[in-house]
Amino acid sequence: MDGVVKMCIAIPGKVIEVDYPFAIVDFKGTKRKVRVDLLESLKEGDWVLVHVGIAIQKVDEEEAKKTVELLEQIGSGCNI
């Protein structure tokens, strides 16, 4: 190993459309189809954390935006 630790974390995005068990999620202009099986009562406008194509948690908008700002500052190294 080269001594560099790499990891990918959950990325916040805004739900644009729900077609259970999928949703279209907007990540600052990049839209992706993700699984939403793990979440109940998901609706358009909700914010979610997405990891490897699966929404794993709902988050409030303020927290999601703070997380996006922090990821932009440090450079997440993850592709959505």
Side-chain angles (χ1 to χ4, degrees):
M1 190 166 198
D2 61 7
V4 176
V5 177
K6 297 179 183 179
M7 67 179 213
C8 190
I9 59 176
I11 306 296
K14 186 175 183 179
V15 176
I16 302 301
E17 179 183 326
V18 178
D19 185 17
Y20 193 82
F22 296 98
I24 303 300
V25 178
D26 185 339
F27 303 92
K28 291 199 72 168
T30 301
K31 295 177 178 69
R32 296 283 187 253
K33 185 176 184 178
V34 302
R35 296 289 302 217
V36 294
D37 305 71
L38 300 177
L39 305 179
E40 295 181 13
S41 63
L42 190 66
K43 63 186 181 308
E44 291 177 14
D46 284 343
W47 285 79
V48 293
L49 291 178
V50 177
H51 178 68
V52 294
I54 301 171
I56 58 172
Q57 179 180 341
K58 289 200 298 188
V59 293
D60 68 53
E61 183 175 1
E62 182 179 334
E63 190 64 30
K65 289 181 176 181
K66 285 181 187 177
T67 302
V68 168
E69 287 177 22
L70 288 172
L71 291 172
E72 288 174 342
Q73 288 176 15
I74 64 171
S76 68
C78 295
N79 294 323
I80 298 172

